[in-house]
Amino acid sequence: GSNELTDAGTFKSARGTGECSTCPDGTSSALGSVELADCKCVAGYTAESDGDACSSCEAGTYKSMTGAAKCTGCPALSSSNASSTSQEKCICTAGAYGEAG
């Protein structure tokens, strides 16, 4: 038979035939991933370390990169929705004005 790489969002650490394992919630992996640590948080999500289930960045924070990095707080007098993926998602709070981000 022919062999194929694991799909994105899955991994397989054991050799031979068998099912691929699905990455934890809020994570994804590249094609051909071989271990749980290959499952990295998607943008807008954070975790203690790669391979852990990720939780969404809280409102008022954002994270544009993949991996277990911490979410970054929005600038003063601005906020964002949970799971925001860029500083541009931070908008002025009531009573403040200026450009987004």
Side-chain angles (χ1 to χ4, degrees):
S2 64
N3 295 315
E4 297 180 27
L5 293 173
T6 59
D7 290 333
T10 67
F11 67 97
K12 183 173 179 283
S13 55
R15 294 176 59 165
T17 60
E19 295 294 314
C20 299
S21 299
T22 302
C23 287
D25 288 344
T27 71
S28 191
S29 64
L31 290 172
S33 293
V34 298
E35 61 184 5
L36 180 61
D38 291 333
C39 299
K40 301 192 184 311
C41 295
V42 297
Y45 287 76
T46 187
E48 288 295 317
S49 62
D50 291 333
D52 289 347
C54 301
S55 56
S56 63
C57 291
E58 296 179 4
T61 67
Y62 66 94
K63 184 169 137 299
S64 57
M65 65 184 85
T66 60
K70 295 194 179 302
C71 301
T72 302
C74 286
L77 301 177
S78 67
S79 190
S80 65
N81 293 326
S83 306
S84 290
T85 57
S86 70
Q87 186 173 331
E88 286 74 35
K89 304 284 185 183
C90 298
I91 58 172
C92 293
T93 54
Y97 68 94
E99 294 181 24

